[in-house]
């Protein structure tokens, strides 16, 4: 029996084969179609003979409360009846083929596996701190600071000689994810031991205050903030607003905060034109930062605390594939995926500031 089977990796599936009872088993797997062509779940739905006559696609249309109004709302929200989101979430159809974007092997090679060989338990596990917008209500500034100190009491400041970059994927109805990357002074690898989530529609002013408090703990050299949407722009605007210099006295956010807009392009190289002038060769920021992270992972430049959710979200991203099998540059990021986007903001700053 397995749930959310669309996230089950091929490596785990291969190991799983020898765990079943040799006398035979009754298998029952549940998942949501997501377009991925390189997963065991997709193999079950069409390629494995064992499940040939035992596959069921259950569409939302069969629900007794489904009606035309709900359909119109879903069509508008998901981008049309032929969009992948509608086909997959409503019609239980695979939609446009998608291949995995990230190597799970590379991700795991960058994770700290301390303790797993000796005790079977990871000793270095990601600290996940979630702050709700519903709880961010205070009568006095002293109450606010006391709550922030309590929420983040387990976070430790880095050594004075260690660089820090905040990678932030901003949201409102979706969570905001803050990743404090710390560069180890000896190994030069980027450590990530904590993940902060702001949930339940926290407003931009409050998000700015949380980032400001985290700044007093980590003292990051750079703050990379996803400003592709209004949520990130609002928070960035508050932190860099010259009229609020007294509130954020001495922080110099205008010099340290980097706006990252994934719909824009970034230079990756230069070439000479017919006049002999050097002109930049540019790629979309989202595409190039993905390539940068893939390279850093393959070179094991990260040291990540073990985090199941991180693996799930990276595994949730894919790259669309045309019907003839050619890959396109269209990265598919589901609406529930935020950690890879925070990694991308980090990669943008790392590339522009450390390797200009």
């Amino acid at each position: 029996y397995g749930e959310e089977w669309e996230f089950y990796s091929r490596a785990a599936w291969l190991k799983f084969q020898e765990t079943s009872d040799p006398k035979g088993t009754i298998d029952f797997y549940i998942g949501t179609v997501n377009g991925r062509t390189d997963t065991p779940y997709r193999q079950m739905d069409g390629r494995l003979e064992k499940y040939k006559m035992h596959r069921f696609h259950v569409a939302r249309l069969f629900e007794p409360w489904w009606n035309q109004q709900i359909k119109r709302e879903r069509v508008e929200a998901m981008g049309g009846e032929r969009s992948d989101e509608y086909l997959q979430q409503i019609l239980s159809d695979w939609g446009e083929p998608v291949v995995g974007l990230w190597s799970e092997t590379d991700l795991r090679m960058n994770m700290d596996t301390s303790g797993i060989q000796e005790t079977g338990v990871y000793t270095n596990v990601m600290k996940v701190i979630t702050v709700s917008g519903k709880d961010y209500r205070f009568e006095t500034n002293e109450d606010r600071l006391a709550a922030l100190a309590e929420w983040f009491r387990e976070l430790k400041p880095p050594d004075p000689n260690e660089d820090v970059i905040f990678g932030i994927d901003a949201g409102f109805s979706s969570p905001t994810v803050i990743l404090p990357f710390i560069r180890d002074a000896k190994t030069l690898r980027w450590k990530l031991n904590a993940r902060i989530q702001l949930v339940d529609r926290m407003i931009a002013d409050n998000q700015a205050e949380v980032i400001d408090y985290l700044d007093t703990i980590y003292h990051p050299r750079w703050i990379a903030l996803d400003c592709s949407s209004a949520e990130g722009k609002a928070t960035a605007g508050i932190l860099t607003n010259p009229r609020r210099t007294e509130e954020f006295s001495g922080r110099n956010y205008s010099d340290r905060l980097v706006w990252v807009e994934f719909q824009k392009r970034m230079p990756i190289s230069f070439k000479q034109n017919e006049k002999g002038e050097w002109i930049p060769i540019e790629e979309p920021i989202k595409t190039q930062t993905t390539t940068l992270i893939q390279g850093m992972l393959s070179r094991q430049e990260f040291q990540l605390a073990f985090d199941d959710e991180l693996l799930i979200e990276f595994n949730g991203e894919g790259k669309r594939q045309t019907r003839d099998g050619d890959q396109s540059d269209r990265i598919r990021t589901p609406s529930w995926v935020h950690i890879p986007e925070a990694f991308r903001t980090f990669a943008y700053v790392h590339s522009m500031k450390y390797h200009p």
Side-chain angles (χ1 to χ4, degrees):
Y1 175 82
E3 288 189 82
E4 297 186 346
W5 207 249
E6 69 272 22
F7 299 123
Y8 207 72
S9 69
R10 179 166 176 75
W13 171 253
L14 294 175
K15 298 289 186 183
F16 182 67
Q17 299 311 299
E18 295 305 315
T19 64
S20 59
D21 192 321
K23 299 176 184 177
T25 59
I26 298 175
D27 299 346
F28 186 50
Y29 303 109
I30 302 172
T32 303
V33 294
N34 58 5
R36 288 285 292 274
T37 61
D38 56 343
T39 62
Y41 189 54
R42 183 67 180 91
Q43 286 185 313
M44 291 177 180
D45 191 24
R47 302 176 197 171
L48 299 183
E49 187 70 21
K50 179 179 180 179
Y51 305 100
K52 186 175 181 179
M53 303 301 294
H54 306 280
R55 301 190 299 267
F56 302 94
H57 288 235
V58 183
R60 295 285 305 278
L61 307 181
F62 297 128
E63 296 174 352
W65 49 83
W66 181 267
N67 56 41
Q68 287 300 310
Q69 180 181 346
I70 295 175
K71 178 181 177 179
R72 283 195 300 272
E73 292 173 354
R74 297 298 184 271
V75 168
E76 291 174 2
M78 296 179 178
E81 288 189 63
R82 299 307 302 167
S83 69
D84 281 343
E85 290 291 334
Y86 188 86
L87 291 172
Q88 293 162 5
Q89 294 192 36
I90 305 301
L91 300 183
S92 190
D93 187 280
W94 284 95
E96 193 172 2
V98 174
V99 295
L101 188 62
W102 306 99
S103 165
E104 184 173 345
T105 300
D106 284 348
L107 281 164
R108 289 186 178 275
M109 289 296 290
N110 283 264
M111 281 192 170
D112 188 345
T113 57
S114 300
I116 194 66
Q117 296 294 334
E118 298 81 7
T119 64
V121 178
Y122 292 99
T123 55
N124 184 14
V125 178
M126 189 75 70
K127 287 184 176 65
V128 181
I129 300 173
T130 301
V131 180
S132 171
K134 297 177 182 178
D135 297 330
Y136 204 92
R137 298 174 183 177
F138 310 103
E139 293 185 4
T140 66
N141 189 51
E142 288 74 17
D143 291 341
R144 178 180 67 87
L145 292 174
L148 288 166
E150 174 63 21
W151 287 330
F152 301 123
R153 67 185 184 280
E154 295 184 15
L155 300 181
K156 306 299 181 185
D159 292 338
N161 58 344
E162 292 182 319
D163 276 355
V164 179
I165 296 176
F166 280 0
I168 305 175
D169 178 50
F172 176 64
S173 55
S174 298
T176 288
V177 173
I178 304 171
L179 304 180
F181 292 91
I182 303 171
R183 195 182 198 191
D184 189 284
K186 295 180 179 179
T187 66
L188 302 184
R189 298 175 73 189
W190 289 93
K191 299 181 293 185
L192 180 62
N193 298 314
R195 171 162 53 87
I196 298 96
Q197 302 177 144
L198 311 181
V199 301
D200 295 331
R201 305 171 76 87
M202 183 179 289
I203 64 173
D205 281 275
N206 295 347
Q207 292 196 35
E209 290 176 353
V210 172
I211 294 171
D212 180 62
Y213 187 84
L214 293 172
D215 185 83
T216 65
I217 298 174
Y218 287 102
H219 307 289
R221 175 172 291 192
W222 305 106
I223 300 173
L225 182 57
D226 176 13
C227 295
S228 304
S229 61
E231 292 91 342
K233 291 176 181 176
T235 303
I238 292 167
L239 289 169
T240 57
N241 189 340
R243 296 181 180 179
R244 303 185 71 159
T245 52
E246 183 175 341
E247 183 178 351
F248 304 124
S249 177
R251 303 286 200 271
N252 299 319
Y253 287 130
S254 295
D255 297 328
R256 295 191 293 126
L257 193 147
V258 180
W259 295 46
V260 183
E261 298 177 72
F262 290 129
Q263 65 270 32
K264 293 187 176 181
R265 303 174 74 86
M266 64 184 291
I268 62 171
S269 185
F270 291 87
K271 67 177 180 180
Q272 280 185 303
N273 61 15
E274 296 176 353
K275 298 179 181 179
E277 301 170 330
W278 290 97
I279 57 174
I281 301 173
E282 296 182 330
E283 285 280 348
I285 289 177
K286 184 158 186 171
T287 302
Q288 180 58 15
T289 51
T290 299
T291 302
L292 292 170
I293 298 167
Q294 288 169 335
M296 295 181 74
L297 287 169
S298 68
R299 296 188 295 272
Q300 297 182 37
E301 294 184 21
F302 292 104
Q303 183 178 326
L304 312 173
F306 183 79
D307 186 358
D308 269 328
E309 189 64 28
L310 185 150
L311 291 171
I312 289 171
E313 290 204 13
F314 270 92
N315 192 45
E317 280 201 313
K319 198 170 188 178
R320 284 186 170 88
Q321 199 172 28
T322 60
R323 295 295 178 182
D324 60 4
D326 292 333
Q327 293 184 26
S328 73
D329 286 332
R330 292 180 293 167
I331 296 170
R332 184 179 182 277
T333 303
S335 58
W336 52 269
V337 169
H338 306 287
I339 297 173
E341 297 285 57
F343 265 77
R344 288 187 177 98
T345 64
F346 159 81
Y348 179 80
V349 167
H350 184 271
S351 172
M352 302 300 285
K353 303 300 183 182
Y354 287 79
H355 303 282

